Structures are given as structure tokens and as C-alpha cells.
Amino acid sequence: MSKLLTFIVLFVAVLAVRIMIQKTQSKKGYNFDERQLMLRSRAYQRGFMAILGYNVFYALATMLLEKSFMQDGVSTLIGAFIGLIVFAVECIWNDAFFHVQNNPITYLIACAIVVISNGLAAIDTIKAGELVQNGILTSNCLQLACAVTFLVIAVAIIVKLVFAGQEDE
Amino acid sequence: MKNLRLKSARAAKDMSQQQLADAVEVSRQTISAIEKGDYNPTINLCIAICKALNKTLDELFWE
């Protein structure tokens, strides 16, 4: 019961912060243009399909091999990270990730903080041998998954910035 | 197909892609994509671009 209450409180808090950020951004005139919105919807679709594909693959592998590879809930969260990577990389590659007036450097700094903090925690987990227990990936792998996800996003931003620098008007 | 008429009209007004993008409230990459022929803009964006460059739709977008 207390877990459910914690989840609800956290969910409402995250939702409130998201709405506040959205309102601040719309006041500042941050928005996506029509091409970006179209490409973002396509990226959402591909991210969703990636999650579906992963879930089908994992379900089949679990059933056919009659063996679980991850703790309960971990496979679902890994799927969410995969969907996020597909969505973010596709948006970044098509110049549809940042608001019209946004600065990618801010995102890079945020990504670096997430990668470093989660990466350090993941290294500790690996050193302590808590990543895999009895042949099953534990929930301790989520910090590593988070670090990898944001590392991929940061690399995609950097690669895109390099290409954009080479592109002439 | 590249939209060279848009590119030349922009250049004639001595505007960069970024300046035109700011004028019509889209990203620079969107203007670049239109000029390269990678993206077909909506009629609303076409009109906004025409107004910013003092051109007609025919002059910039009609084949």
C-alpha cells in the first residue's frame, strides 16, 4: 500500500514538474515547427514499434528457452530505454529533437551529468558483483541502462553537431 | 527536387537561412530541407515564406 502511495505521489510530482516546464517553455516561445512535429510523430511510432518488437522477442526467448534472463520488471524498463533510444536518435538525426530556439549544448551538459552519475553507480554495482545474480540480470542494471541510453543520445547529438557544422548554407 | 528559386530569392534579400527561419518561426534546418527539396512545406508555411521574401506563391513554389 505504501509503495502504491509513493508511486502515486512521485507520478503526480513528475507530472506537475512536466506541466510547469511546458508552461515556462511555451511562454518563452519554445516550440517545434511543422516539419519537426511530423518527424517526431514518426519517431514516436518507430520507438513504439521497437518496444513491441523487443517485448515479442523477449517473450519468445523466455518461452522457448524456458528460462528467465532478467528480474521481474527489469525487462519492461529495458524495453522503455530501447524505445527512448530509438525515438531520441531518430529525432536528433532529423533535426527534430530541439525546440526551434533551443541550445543543444544545454542538453549535452544534462546528458553528461546523467551519464557520469549513473555510470559511476553502475561501476560500483559491477565491482560488487550485483549486476547478475544466479544468471539473472538484476534491477541493479538499470543505472547502467540509463547511463548507456544517455551516452547514446549524447553521442548522437555530438555526431549531428559535427555534421551540421560541415553543412553549408 | 531542389527549390533554387527560394534559395535565390533569399539570397537576393541578403538573408541567411537562420534569418529567414526566425522570420517565419521555424528551425534553420527546416528552411534548409525546403531548399534541398527534402521537405514539402504546408501552405501556411509557404505563405509565411512568401511574405517574408515579398514574393508570390507562384514565384517561389509553382513548378
Side-chain angles (χ1 to χ4, degrees):
Chain A
M1 187 65 191
S2 66
K3 276 185 181 174
L4 182 67
L5 195 66
T6 310
F7 174 77
I8 291 169
V9 169
L10 279 175
F11 183 77
V12 171
V14 169
L15 204 64
V17 169
R18 178 74 189 108
I19 290 168
M20 274 160 46
I21 290 171
Q22 203 166 9
K23 281 193 173 178
T24 314
Q25 286 181 338
S26 63
K27 272 182 194 168
K28 285 181 181 173
Y30 286 165
N31 53 8
F32 296 108
D33 65 33
E34 57 178 47
R35 183 190 62 88
Q36 290 177 313
L37 288 173
M38 188 190 75
L39 290 166
R40 285 174 73 83
S41 67
R42 194 179 71 186
Y44 270 124
Q45 194 181 23
R46 290 191 177 163
F48 180 69
M49 293 309 290
I51 294 172
L52 276 184
Y54 159 79
N55 279 326
V56 169
F57 175 78
Y58 184 72
L60 282 175
T62 310
M63 278 193 298
L64 292 174
L65 300 173
E66 294 178 350
K67 183 178 181 254
S68 183
F69 301 96
M70 303 178 205
Q71 273 182 354
D72 291 344
V74 174
S75 63
T76 311
L77 288 167
I78 296 284
F81 280 119
I82 290 171
L84 179 63
I85 288 174
V86 171
F87 168 74
V89 171
E90 171 135 9
C91 284
I92 291 164
W93 197 248
N94 291 307
D95 295 308
F97 194 64
F98 307 111
H99 295 106
V100 170
Q101 294 158 337
N102 247 183
N103 182 3
I105 302 300
T106 316
Y107 282 76
L108 267 180
I109 293 167
C111 282
I113 292 167
V114 174
V115 170
I116 291 167
S117 56
N118 281 283
L120 290 174
I123 289 167
D124 280 346
T125 307
I126 293 165
K127 276 182 182 171
E130 293 168 351
L131 196 67
V132 178
Q133 284 174 351
N134 302 324
I136 290 178
L137 203 60
T138 65
S139 57
N140 293 321
C141 74
L142 292 177
Q143 284 157 333
L144 181 64
C146 189
V148 169
T149 301
F150 280 85
L151 183 65
V152 171
I153 291 172
V155 168
I157 292 172
I158 292 166
V159 170
K160 191 62 193 176
L161 282 175
V162 169
F163 271 92
Q166 290 171 348
E167 192 182 79
D168 60 340
E169 279 208 351
Chain B
M1 196 171 69
K2 283 188 178 181
N3 191 334
L4 297 174
R5 280 175 292 176
L6 172 59
K7 194 170 184 173
S8 60
R10 176 175 63 75
K13 285 210 84 178
D14 204 21
M15 287 175 96
S16 66
Q17 286 183 342
Q18 187 62 61
Q19 286 169 326
L20 179 58
D22 291 342
V24 297
E25 295 179 340
V26 297
S27 61
R28 186 195 64 77
Q29 290 84 1
T30 296
I31 298 296
S32 172
I34 295 168
E35 288 184 355
K36 282 184 197 166
D38 292 340
Y39 173 64
N40 286 323
T42 63
I43 190 69
N44 287 336
L45 182 53
C46 289
I47 291 168
I49 291 170
C50 288
K51 282 180 178 173
L53 296 174
N54 290 325
K55 294 282 181 184
T56 64
L57 282 169
D58 277 5
E59 285 173 319
L60 291 186
F61 295 104
W62 194 251
E63 294 289 322

